[in-house]
Amino acid sequence: MSENQNIGSLSGHSKVVSNKKMTFAERIYLPAIFGGFAITLSHFFKKKVTVQYPEVKRPFSEIYRGKHVLKRDDEGRERCTACGLCALACPAEAITMIAAERKEDEMHLYREEKYAAVYEIDMLRCIFCGLCEEACPKEAIFLTQEIVPSNFHRNDFIYGKELLVEPVDKRVDISKRQTPEVLKFKLDKNQSHNT
Ligand code: SF4
Ligand code: SF4
């Protein structure tokens, strides 16, 4: 028994290398080359698996998690109170924010006394796990079905409030990704953060 055969494989997937001599057909490679051509040719007649993105898009899973949205309440005020729980829950440390105190003439802009003057998500760090959404006590952040588009510069992947807060006149429907139980909970005015 050779020395090599005595060494066990840690993964248990070791394979003994064959010393079998190649046949004439194997040595001239032609059968293997034509076999490869045949496989390639056979794909011409099969149903294409590629799609002409972005003109054609594949249907997403109903629970697909894409770009985030910072929600407003029914009166158009930003829901986020800059509590930082989303940033704390984020395993990728993708969220940063700077909190500020609401002034008297800003009551119509921010729902809570404290709000996020700066709120940023680094989409290159984000793994779209949805933990920020789960951690938020104010129903302020949700993941949507929107894809984060590709870009040429790393800085352009840092999304600030201008890209995250939903427009007042163009609300983002996040209800599709919610289970009936969650939706019922969110409509329950007895829950303090729904009022
Ligand atoms: S989806 Fe996950 S990784 Fe992305 S910002 Fe939220 S918590 Fe962080
Ligand atoms: S999005 Fe929610 S969890 Fe994050 S800081 Fe705002 S209120 Fe807190």
Side-chain angles (χ1 to χ4, degrees), residues 92-112:
E93 297 186 358
I95 302 176
T96 49
M97 74 190 69
I98 297 174
E101 210 170 310
R102 182 183 65 182
K103 298 189 179 64
E104 272 196 18
D105 59 347
E106 292 177 334
M107 304 278 269
H108 62 295
L109 296 176
Y110 310 110
R111 191 166 172 267
E112 312 287 339

Side-chain angles (χ1 to χ4, degrees), residues 43-83:
H43 283 283
F44 278 110
F45 307 103
K46 286 184 182 161
K47 190 172 174 282
K48 289 183 177 53
V49 291
T50 48
V51 294
Q52 298 299 315
Y53 184 84
E55 289 80 16
V56 181
K57 287 179 184 156
R58 289 186 197 281
F60 285 7
S61 156
E62 282 181 8
I63 53 166
Y64 176 84
R65 294 189 293 258
K67 179 183 158 290
H68 314 59
V69 63
L70 286 174
K71 293 291 289 175
R72 297 177 183 275
D73 68 3
D74 293 344
E75 295 169 35
R77 300 172 299 180
E78 290 178 21
R79 296 184 73 99
C80 175
T81 187
C83 65

